[in-house]
Amino acid sequence: MSNSTRWTVAILVVVAALLTGLVNELRREPVASHPGGGAVAGTAQPDLAELRRRADLPACPAGTGQTGPSALHGVTVECAADGAPVDVAAMVAGRRVVLNLWAYWCGPCRDELPAFAEYQRRAGPGVIVVTVHQDDNAAAGLALLTELGVRLPTLQDGRRRLAAALRVPNVMPATVVLAADGSVARILPQSFANAEEIAAAVDSSGR
């Protein structure tokens, strides 16, 4: 065997060893989702059960036995508190409900979520505020609610089924006021600075 052939064989052996090591490292690398919906190497996948425990969200309202608004018939999403399925039409039936539609990456949403928590505290049981997280990354939504200390009933709706059913403009944040008869009293594609602004908008719906 010539010297050039020996060198070629040696180089190929070294390259093969390096490639094998690289493949093994990549296989060991854990993957987690990131805001763009893809994956980031080097971080463990979030434990939804632990994130739910930390968020300590209230259970989603139970159905009242009524059928609820026809626009929401067949719309089923998850309750962020425990992952249980929620029949949205049944949940809102017979109640005055304020739906706040948001996503974890939306800056104005982040700013107004505490205002909705304060509005609920002031409004009392006559109205129910339910937030709707409109992104597939449920873990990021739970993490943001935990960080903000916002504890409101929350629906996980990554496919934006509620917005489509209620014909809400494709903007975030957006708020929908539902009357007790299930009709849409107001659709508000805007952000709010404080609880007073929310109260004024909800009260002006007149239902």
Side-chain angles (χ1 to χ4, degrees), residues 51-52 55 102 104 110 137-149:
L51 288 170
R52 286 170 178 151
W102 62 283
Y104 75 93
R110 178 191 185 97
N137 195 334
L142 288 166
L144 178 59
L145 292 173
T146 302
E147 177 188 339
L148 297 175

Side-chain angles (χ1 to χ4, degrees), residues 4-116:
S4 62
T5 302
R6 291 192 185 95
W7 276 110
T8 301
V9 171
I11 290 171
L12 290 174
V13 169
V14 171
V15 170
L18 289 173
L19 288 174
T20 300
L22 178 60
V23 169
N24 289 336
E25 281 298 315
L26 290 174
R27 285 176 177 172
R28 285 197 295 268
E29 201 69 25
V31 174
S33 60
H34 69 83
V40 175
T43 54
Q45 290 187 357
D47 182 342
L48 275 180
E50 175 61 17
L51 288 170
R52 286 170 178 151
R53 185 191 67 77
R54 292 179 186 176
D56 192 26
L57 299 177
C60 295
T64 61
Q66 302 179 43
T67 58
S70 58
L72 292 174
H73 286 177
V75 178
T76 301
V77 297
E78 285 187 1
C79 181
D82 55 12
V86 176
D87 180 334
V88 182
M91 182 194 77
V92 304
R95 296 182 168 113
R96 194 171 188 220
V97 178
V98 175
L99 298 172
N100 177 235
L101 282 54
W102 62 283
Y104 75 93
W105 43 260
C106 163
C109 303
R110 178 191 185 97
D111 294 339
E112 76 172 9
L113 279 166
F116 273 95

Side-chain angles (χ1 to χ4, degrees), residues 96-174:
R96 194 171 188 220
V97 178
V98 175
L99 298 172
N100 177 235
L101 282 54
W102 62 283
Y104 75 93
W105 43 260
C106 163
C109 303
R110 178 191 185 97
D111 294 339
E112 76 172 9
L113 279 166
F116 273 95
E118 176 61 18
Y119 166 73
Q120 177 67 92
R121 188 187 69 79
R122 297 182 187 183
V127 62
I128 298 176
V129 176
V130 178
T131 86
V132 184
H133 183 233
Q134 298 192 122
D135 188 276
D136 285 330
N137 195 334
L142 288 166
L144 178 59
L145 292 173
T146 302
E147 177 188 339
L148 297 175
V150 171
R151 292 181 173 84
L152 292 169
T154 297
L155 302 176
Q156 171 58 34
D157 184 18
R159 296 179 65 181
R160 305 187 185 185
R161 293 174 176 171
L162 272 78
L166 297 173
R167 298 183 179 180
V168 180
N170 189 26
V171 297
M172 280 190 278

